[in-house]
Amino acid sequence: MHLLNIRKDDLNWLNKALNKKDLREYRKTILVKDGYAYATNGHVIHKVKCAADEQNGVYSKDGTKIDTQDDHPLLEDMFNSSFTLDCTLSVIPESLGVLKVVEGVGLNTLYFDNAVAKASKITIKLHENKDRVYIHYDNREVIIMGTRL
C-alpha cells in the first residue's frame, strides 16, 4: 500500500475541496500528476506541490493510493488558462455568503475561506472570461468558479 508523501496540513487542505457525497469518484478523491496533487468538488479546485518523485495516480482522502479506472478531468489544464486580470474582492452586504469580484460575478465565501485560511499574503487574478478566480499563496494554488450575482 502506497501513501501520498505530503504534509498533513496540505492533505487536510486538499480534503476541504472534496465532495464526500458526490457520485462522481473524481470529486471524492485526490489526483496526483507530475509533482502536484489536485482535489475538486466541481466549484473549487485545490492544487498543492508534492514530492517530485511522487507516484502519479488517484488517492483516497486519507492519502492511500487506490487502483481505479475512473477518469479525472484535466484539472491541471485549468491552471494553465488565462488568469490575467488583477482584481480585488469586496463584501456584498445584502448578499450573505458572497464576495463580489466584478460586476455580476461573485465567489462563495465558504470556498474562499476554506481556500485561504491562515494565508498571510495572497495573489488573486481574474480569468479573462470573468467566470473564475485564481488564488496563489505559499505552495498552494486555488481556482474558484464564479457565481452570478
Side-chain angles (χ1 to χ4, degrees):
M1 170 176 71
H2 178 76
L3 284 175
L4 183 58
N5 183 11
I6 195 169
R7 293 183 345 210
K8 179 79 170 156
D9 64 322
D10 285 339
L11 181 61
N12 290 338
W13 182 74
L14 287 168
N15 277 309
K16 287 182 178 185
L18 296 178
N19 184 336
K20 287 97 179 150
K21 297 179 183 176
D22 202 295
L23 295 176
R24 291 162 284 207
E25 201 60 34
Y26 77 88
R27 292 186 178 183
K28 297 188 290 187
T29 55
I30 298 167
L31 172 67
V32 172
K33 187 168 182 189
D34 301 329
Y36 289 95
Y38 301 87
T40 188
N41 64 13
H43 300 283
V44 63
I45 307 169
H46 288 193
K47 173 185 174 184
V48 68
K49 188 146 183 61
C50 52
D53 61 347
E54 186 59 74
Q55 293 181 17
N56 287 346
V58 177
Y59 292 78
S60 66
K61 66 179 183 154
D62 67 359
T64 305
K65 188 163 190 209
I66 55 178
D67 187 27
T68 181
Q69 299 302 318
D70 285 337
D71 287 333
H72 270 69
L74 300 175
L75 300 176
E76 67 276 13
D77 288 351
M78 294 289 289
F79 287 90
N80 297 327
S81 59
S82 300
F83 291 94
T84 56
L85 306 172
D86 288 320
C87 66
T88 57
L89 304 177
S90 59
V91 176
I92 306 170
E94 69 277 4
S95 181
L96 293 175
V98 178
L99 294 171
K100 181 178 177 181
V101 182
V102 294
E103 191 59 44
V105 179
L107 297 179
N108 181 308
T109 55
L110 175 64
Y111 299 138
F112 182 80
D113 291 345
N114 281 341
V116 299
K118 300 179 185 173
S120 55
K121 182 180 178 184
I122 62 175
T123 301
I124 301 173
K125 297 280 185 184
L126 180 64
H127 191 271
E128 63 186 15
N129 294 340
K130 298 182 180 178
D131 63 350
R132 59 197 142 199
V133 171
Y134 166 85
I135 301 168
H136 178 262
Y137 69 96
D138 299 334
N139 67 334
R140 296 175 175 177
E141 297 175 69
V142 180
I143 293 176
I144 302 176
M145 304 308 166
T147 300
R148 290 181 189 237
L149 299 177

